[in-house]
């Protein structure tokens, strides 16, 4: 497992010596959380989330000199990822954020409970981008509100509002669909 | 109004939470798309700053002090009896460290 100080060491090796080996280690470490983040934002569209993750890593590589180390590398990585997704939404000519029909076709990752995962992805459609991002980072990636505020570049109060509104919408969604979930 | 608690939400998201996604060639694809020529200037920059350092040492006289110290050490060595084991070990250790560090810097600047 690579620690946070190792992240900085790897980043400095990439910046100073252009070490591809060091960058490869960073990609290996963060590919899973980043692809999972995009998977949640794109309602489980695997090919789209992989494309966005790839674009994020390439951007990270090209702009690594601008990483000043004040926030952790993972915070910076998710911030770039959030911007990549935001740009994707803006550039998308379609009014829908993703092609929902693609979701079912491409969902082939091995997961312990496919039905439950798809229900969660489906429920995310009722949320706005900012609410979905906050909910994803908070509940699925276990990031703190402070870290999310740095990623989304907004005050912590705004993040709390996104979380609160997102929770409310999801609760209404699950009640409205008569979805029975064993909260035990 | 929401009736689902924070804990219940966490439980709900457990199905997709922190699930490890297998690499399946993703890293290889990313590395293949990274521009190769982007950082070719870096070894030149490293060597340029190295040269600047040598020039500063030359003009500030530090390089002469260093050479004088080495000459003094050599002189003492030639007029002395066999140095003690401790002196020899310390000298070799310092020399070894300098050579290893230099080799690492050169290796990394060309990798």
């Amino acid at each position: 497992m690579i620690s946070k100080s190792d992240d900085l060491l790897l980043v400095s090796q990439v910046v100073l010596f252009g070490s591809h080996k060091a960058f490869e280690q960073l990609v290996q470490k963060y590919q899973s959380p980043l692809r999972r983040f995009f998977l949640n934002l794109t309602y489980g569209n695997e090919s789209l989330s992989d494309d966005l993750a790839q674009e994020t890593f390439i951007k990270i590589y090209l702009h690594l000199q601008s990483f000043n180390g004040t926030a952790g590398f993972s915070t910076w990585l998710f911030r770039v990822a959030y911007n990549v997704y935001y740009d994707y939404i803006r550039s998308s000519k379609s009014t829908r954020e993703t092609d929902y029909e693609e979701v079912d076709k491409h969902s082939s990752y091995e997961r312990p409970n496919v039905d439950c995962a798809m229900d969660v992805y489906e429920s995310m459609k009722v949320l706005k981008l900012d609410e979905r991002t906050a909910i994803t980072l908070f509940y699925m990636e276990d990031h703190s509100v402070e870290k999310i505020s740095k990623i989304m570049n907004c005050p912590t109060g705004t993040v709390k509002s996104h979380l609160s509104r997102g929770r409310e919408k999801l609760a209404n969604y699950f009640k409205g669909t008569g979805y029975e979930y064993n909260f035990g | 109004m929401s009736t689902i608690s924070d804990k219940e939400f966490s439980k709900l998201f457990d199905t997709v939470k922190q699930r490890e996604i297998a690499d399946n060639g993703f890293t290889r694809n990313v590395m293949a798309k990274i521009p190769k020529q982007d950082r070719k200037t870096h070894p030149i920059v490293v060597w340029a700053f190295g040269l600047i350092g040598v020039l500063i040492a030359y003009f500030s006289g530090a390089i002469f002090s260093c050479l004088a110290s080495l000459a003094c050490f050599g002189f003492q060595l030639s007029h002395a009896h066999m140095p003690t084991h401790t002196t020899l070990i310390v000298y070799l250790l310092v020399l070894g460290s300098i050579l290893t560090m230099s080799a690492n810097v050169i290796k990394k600047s060309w990798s």
Side-chain angles (χ1 to χ4, degrees), chain A residues 94-114:
Chain A
S94 166
T95 49
R96 291 184 302 179
E97 289 181 358
T98 55
D99 188 350
Y100 300 145
E101 288 162 9
E102 292 282 299
V103 175
D104 294 332
K105 270 194 279 177
H106 294 286
S107 297
S108 60
Y109 284 148
E110 283 178 28
R111 50 173 78 101
N113 192 338
V114 178

Side-chain angles (χ1 to χ4, degrees), chain A residues 15 18 20 23 31-32 35-36 54 61 65 116-117 120-121 139-142 167 174-175 183, chain B residues 1 6 8-9 11-13 15-23 26 29 31 33-35 39 42:
Chain A
V15 173
H20 278 222
F23 190 71
Q31 63 85 19
S32 180
R35 287 161 82 193
R36 196 169 52 223
Q54 202 169 78
Y61 181 80
Q65 294 95 328
C116 280
V120 171
Y121 293 143
Y139 287 107
M140 298 181 201
E141 298 299 325
D142 280 341
R167 267 197 300 262
F174 284 118
K175 274 196 291 183
F183 290 117
Chain B
M1 211 48 203
D6 231 29
E8 289 168 335
F9 261 109
K11 213 163 187 184
L12 170 67
F13 288 121
T15 50
V16 286
K17 188 181 177 182
Q18 303 211 350
R19 175 169 42 87
E20 202 59 39
I21 296 175
D23 192 291
F26 177 83
N29 288 341
M31 295 313 291
K33 288 190 177 171
I34 278 172
R39 296 176 198 276
H42 277 297

Side-chain angles (χ1 to χ4, degrees), chain A residues 87-140:
Chain A
D87 288 345
Y88 164 75
I89 294 295
R90 276 193 305 189
S91 65
S92 177
K93 284 177 184 171
S94 166
T95 49
R96 291 184 302 179
E97 289 181 358
T98 55
D99 188 350
Y100 300 145
E101 288 162 9
E102 292 282 299
V103 175
D104 294 332
K105 270 194 279 177
H106 294 286
S107 297
S108 60
Y109 284 148
E110 283 178 28
R111 50 173 78 101
N113 192 338
V114 178
D115 288 340
C116 280
M118 286 315 294
D119 284 335
V120 171
Y121 293 143
E122 196 64 29
S123 69
M124 299 293 261
K125 289 177 186 174
V126 299
L127 305 178
K128 286 180 182 171
L129 172 61
D130 287 340
E131 294 160 357
R132 202 161 65 240
T133 308
I135 291 277
T136 297
L137 291 171
F138 189 78
Y139 287 107
M140 298 181 201

Side-chain angles (χ1 to χ4, degrees), chain A residues 136-150:
Chain A
T136 297
L137 291 171
F138 189 78
Y139 287 107
M140 298 181 201
E141 298 299 325
D142 280 341
H143 290 324
S144 66
V145 171
E146 287 74 25
K147 191 170 175 180
I148 297 170
S149 75
K150 282 179 190 165

Side-chain angles (χ1 to χ4, degrees), chain A residues 28 54 56 62 65 67 112 117-118 123 128 158 163 182-183:
Chain A
Q28 274 170 351
Q54 202 169 78
T56 304
L62 293 174
Q65 294 95 328
F67 171 62
M118 286 315 294
S123 69
K128 286 180 182 171
T158 312
L163 285 172
N182 182 21
F183 290 117

Side-chain angles (χ1 to χ4, degrees), chain B residues 62-78:
Chain B
I63 206 161
F64 298 112
S65 304
C66 183
L67 289 172
S69 302
L70 280 175
C72 184
F73 181 77
F75 181 79
Q76 283 176 349
L77 205 64
S78 66

